[in-house]
Amino acid sequence: MIEIELDGQKVAVAEGSMVMHAADAAGKTIPHFCYHKKLSIAANCRMCLVDIEKAPKPMPACATPVTQGMIVRTQSAKAIKAQQSVMEFLLINHPLDCPICDQGGECQLQDLAVGYGKGSSRYEEEKRVVFHKDVGPLISMEEMSRCIHCTRCVRFGQEIAGVMELGMVNRGEHSEITTITGGTVDSELSGNMIDVCPVGALTSKPFRYSARTWELSRRKSVSPHDSTGANLIVQVKNHQVLRVVPFENESVNECWIADRDRFSYEALNGAQRLTQPMIKQGGQWQTVDWTTALDYVADGLKRIKAEHGAAGIGALAAPHRSVEELHLLAKLTRGLGSQSVDHRLRHADFSAPAEAGKARWLGTSIASLSTLDAVLVVGSFLRKDHPLFASRIRQSARKGGAVFSLGGRQDDWAMPMAGRLLAAPSAWVQTLAGVAAAVAQAKGVAAPLAAESDATAQAAAQALLSGERKAVLLGNAAAQHPQASALLALAQWIGEQTGATVGYLGESGNSVGAQLVKAMPGQGGLNAGQMLSQPMKALLLLDVEPALDAADAAKARAALAGSGLVVSLTSFKDAAADVADVMLPIAPFTETAGAYVNAEGRLQSAHGVVRPLGDSRPAWKVLRVLGNLLGLSGFEQDSAEQVRAEALGDVAGLAARLDNRTAAGVAAVAPFTGIERLSDVPIYATDAIVRRAPSLQRTADARVAPVGLPTALWQQLGLKDGDKVCLSQGDLTAVLSAAHERTLASGVVRVSAAHPDTVALGAMFGPIAVEKLQKP
C-alpha cells in the first residue's frame, strides 16, 4: 500500500492506483467526465485536474499514479482555476438547449457547470454543428453537437459489450463520435451507452421527450427476463412506466442491464394488454366481470374432476413468473388431486430432475464469473441468451482466462476464445465425453464414456485441470437437449475430477425458484412435454404462449386445440386467444409484488411500481380466490409476503437446497447421419413482454432470418441471398427465408424457436429436411 496526503487527509491505496482512486477511497469528489470506474482511463476531458505538490502544472487525477508521500490538493486556487478553465472550453461549442434536453436534471455537465462555469462566455464565434445519426431504434443521436468527446460510449462498446460499434473520427473541432460506416448500434447491451454518456448526446429513443426527469417517481424492481435477476430502477409518471435504468448491484448486474431489461417496458403500455376477463362463447370472445369468469373456471374444474377424475387436469407456468404465483399454481393443482404441473416448457429430457424442493443452479456466484481462469460453456448462445453473464465471462477472457465452448454454431461471443468444440447437437454427448476422456487420461482414471479427444478437447481438459478458478456451465440449449441428463452427468464428472464448479446458466428469471417451490410434476404427474403433446381435460396456463414457449410447437398447438377447458392467465389478449376458453388478465412484474430466485440462488423481491392496468389483478390473488371457490384449504393469504414465506420457508437455508448432483448415467448415443435441427430462442422472443416491445422488435437481432444453413448445404442447394427453403419435420413443413451461416457445424440447420414463422414445425432438436424453394 502507498500512503498519500489528499486535502490534508492521509489515504492508503494499492500501488498502481491513480489519484482518482485515492479520492474515491477517501470519499472526496473530484469533478470529471471521461473517467468511469468500470472503464479504462482515457484522460481526455481534463476536468479532473488537481494540484500536486512539486508538479509544474495541474495534473489529471484519473491518469496520475500515486507515489509514496504525494501531496494532492483538489480544492486549492490552482486546481479550481484549472477546472474552471476546462469547463470554459467545454462550453464553447455546447448548445444551450438544456430546457428541451432529455438529460436535463441528471446531466453531469449541467451539474458541474453550476460550480465551475462562468455566468457568460468570452467566445463569440459560431458554435459548431454535428449532424445527427440514425443508429437504430434504441439510441437517439439526434443532438451530437452536445458531445464533449469523453469517449465513454466508445470504451463501453469495446471493453464491456465486446463490440466497438462507435468510434471517434477527425481531430480538433471536427472530431465526432460515429459508427464510421453509418451502420446501426446492435449490441445487446447498447442501452448502457445512454447511461454512461455524461451529457445529452446519447439518449433513449423510446423515452425521447416523454417526461422531464424530475417528474418521474423512481422505484426498485427486478428483471424477470433472464436468470441474472438484474436490479432495476423503474421510472413512473401518472401510473405508467416510462423508463427503466439499472440499479447498481456489484454482486448481480454491476451497473449494467441488457437492452431487453431496459426497453421491454413498452409492451406494458401496449394495445395488446388484456385488461378485462373474457370467456369464449360460440367461438366469440365476450367480456365479463371477475366474478363470472372465476365462477365459470371453478365450476368447469369441479365438473371435469367429477366426470373424468383429477388426472386429466394439468397446469403449465412460464418460468419468469414470481415465486408466489408458481407456488399457488402448484398448490391449487395438487389441491385438485393432480400432480401434473410444470414450468420446463422447452425441455425434451425430464429423466433427471433435482430432488423435490431442490434446484439446479449456476453452481457458483455470478460475481465469480468475472474471475475465472478456465470455463467450458456447453450448449449456449451465450451473448444472446445471457448478455450480462457474457459480459462477466468476457472480463475473465480479457484478464487471460481460457474460455471454451461446445455447441452447434460458432456464434460470435465478442471475446477471446481459447477453443471451440463444434458438433451437431446429436454429437454433443460424445464431444463432451471427449473432454472427459482427456481429463481421465491426464489423471490416469477410467473415463465415463469411451470417446476420442481432439486437440481442442485436450486443451479444454488441460485448462480445467490447471486453473484455480474454473467452471463447466450448461446453457439453455444443453438444458433443452434431448440428452440433457447425459450432458449434466458428464459435466458433473468433469467437475469432480478437475475441481471445477458445475451448473446451469438458467433459462429464465425464476427457473431456480420454480424448482424450489415444486412447480414440477409429482409422483404419477405429467411433465410439460406430455401435457403439450396430448389433449388434456383441463389445462391452466400461467403466462404461457403454447406455440412460442413449447419444445415442439406443432404438437403443442394440436394438443391445446383438442383439450377441454383451457384457462389462460395472461397479460396480453393475443397470447392464447386461439386455444383458450377463458382469459384472465394478470398483472406483469411491474404491477405486482413478487420474488425471484436468480441463477446463483439469490432471492430478490420487488413491489409493484404501478397499479394494475384496467381490471388486471396480480396472479397470486387470482389463484388464491380460485382456490377458495374450489373449496381448497390453505388459500387464505392476505399478502405476497405470506405466500412467499409459505412457499420458501426458511430462506436462510436456501443455499442448502441448491444441488446439481445427478445420478443419471451416460450412454453412447449414435449421432444422426442426415441433417438435423439446432434451435436458438432469439433474444427478443424469450417471453410475452419482450415479444411485444415495439422498439426491440425493430432491432437487427429481431430481423435475423429464422433459418441458417452451413456452407456445404448452402452450396449443395445452390442458394443465393434472398432465397427461400422448404423445411420438413415428418409431415410438418414451413417455407422460410434462408441465410448463409458459415459458423454452423456440418449437417446442422439453425431454425429459431419461439418465432411466428416456425410454429408450424416440430421439435427443437432432431432430423429435418431442407429443399430449395423453386421460384415460379
Side-chain angles (χ1 to χ4, degrees), residues 295 298 302 332 620-638:
D295 284 343
K302 289 177 182 177
L332 185 145
W620 71 266
K621 290 186 177 181
V622 175
L623 293 165
R624 183 201 63 191
V625 174
L626 193 54
N628 291 333
L629 293 174
L630 290 166
L632 306 178
S633 62
F635 285 84
E636 295 82 28
Q637 302 88 349
D638 293 325

Side-chain angles (χ1 to χ4, degrees), residues 459-473:
Q462 188 58 44
L464 292 171
L465 285 165
S466 59
E468 291 185 13
R469 298 175 296 274
K470 51 230 178 166
V472 180
L473 302 174

Side-chain angles (χ1 to χ4, degrees), residues 30 57 70 83 93 149 160 163 214 235 239 267 312 389 432 458 466 516 570 578 617 630-631 670 702 725 730:
I30 298 176
K57 59 183 179 180
M70 175 185 280
Q83 292 160 0
N93 279 310
H149 307 144
I160 307 299
V163 184
W214 51 85
Q235 300 184 352
H239 299 287
F389 287 173
L432 186 58
Q458 292 171 4
S466 59
L516 293 175
T570 178
D578 55 334
R617 296 288 184 270
L630 290 166
V725 293

Side-chain angles (χ1 to χ4, degrees), residues 175-438:
S175 300
E176 60 179 288
I177 299 293
T178 176
T179 56
I180 312 296
T181 62
T184 56
V185 174
D186 299 323
S187 166
E188 61 281 358
L189 298 172
S190 66
N192 294 292
M193 294 179 183
I194 299 167
D195 294 336
V196 300
C197 181
V199 295
L202 304 181
T203 56
S204 168
K205 190 170 282 189
F207 174 72
R208 187 173 168 80
Y209 297 148
S210 295
R212 306 300 292 171
T213 181
W214 51 85
E215 299 175 315
L216 300 171
S217 300
R218 290 161 172 78
R219 294 155 191 177
K220 295 180 184 178
S221 190
V222 176
S223 171
H225 299 307
D226 64 35
S227 58
T228 308
N231 291 196
L232 311 176
I233 293 292
V234 181
Q235 300 184 352
V236 177
K237 179 183 177 184
N238 296 332
H239 299 287
Q240 191 176 44
V241 177
L242 292 185
R243 186 164 63 167
V244 176
V245 296
F247 178 76
E248 185 172 352
N249 186 331
E250 195 64 27
S251 299
V252 180
N253 56 296
E254 300 177 274
C255 54
W256 319 118
I257 55 174
D259 287 351
R260 66 179 164 200
D261 302 328
R262 185 184 300 272
F263 297 108
S264 65
Y265 74 87
E266 285 187 293
L268 306 177
N269 310 319
Q272 290 302 318
R273 278 295 301 273
L274 179 67
T275 57
Q276 292 178 293
M278 303 184 79
I279 296 176
K280 188 181 288 183
Q281 296 178 334
Q284 299 296 318
W285 285 106
Q286 304 294 328
T287 300
V288 297
D289 57 44
W290 271 104
T291 300
T292 301
L294 290 174
D295 284 343
Y296 183 92
V297 174
D299 292 343
L301 291 173
K302 289 177 182 177
R303 175 180 51 81
I304 289 169
K305 181 179 179 181
E307 294 179 0
H308 305 284
I313 300 174
L316 293 169
H320 58 263
R321 298 305 302 193
S322 71
V323 160
E324 296 84 353
E325 295 163 347
L326 293 164
H327 167 69
L328 287 182
L329 180 70
K331 185 174 182 179
L332 185 145
T333 307
R334 294 191 170 101
L336 287 168
S338 172
Q339 293 291 332
S340 301
V341 58
D342 210 347
H343 70 280
R344 300 165 297 173
L345 305 176
R346 294 195 178 102
H347 285 214
D349 182 2
F350 301 90
S351 62
E355 294 179 28
K358 293 191 175 183
R360 307 289 190 212
W361 67 299
L362 185 62
T364 185
S365 67
I366 291 174
S368 70
L369 298 180
S370 302
T371 60
L372 292 173
D373 296 320
V375 58
L376 171 60
V377 183
V378 181
S380 177
F381 302 92
L382 186 63
R383 267 184 67 189
K384 307 305 179 182
D385 288 347
H386 302 93
L388 294 174
F389 287 173
S391 174
R392 292 271 193 181
I393 295 174
R394 186 173 298 119
Q395 292 178 42
S396 290
R398 287 172 60 85
K399 297 171 188 172
V403 180
F404 292 86
S405 68
L406 190 166
R409 183 176 72 163
Q410 293 183 349
D411 44 328
D412 181 13
W413 289 1
M415 66 181 77
M417 298 294 294
R420 296 177 183 268
L421 294 159
L422 187 64
S426 63
W428 285 1
V429 170
Q430 202 67 24
T431 305
L432 186 58
V435 178

Side-chain angles (χ1 to χ4, degrees), residues 707 709 719 723-727 734-736 738 770-773:
V707 179
L709 281 73
L719 294 171
D723 284 350
K724 294 190 174 184
V725 293
C726 179
L727 301 180
V735 175
L736 301 165
V770 187
E771 294 180 359
K772 179 180 179 180
L773 187 69

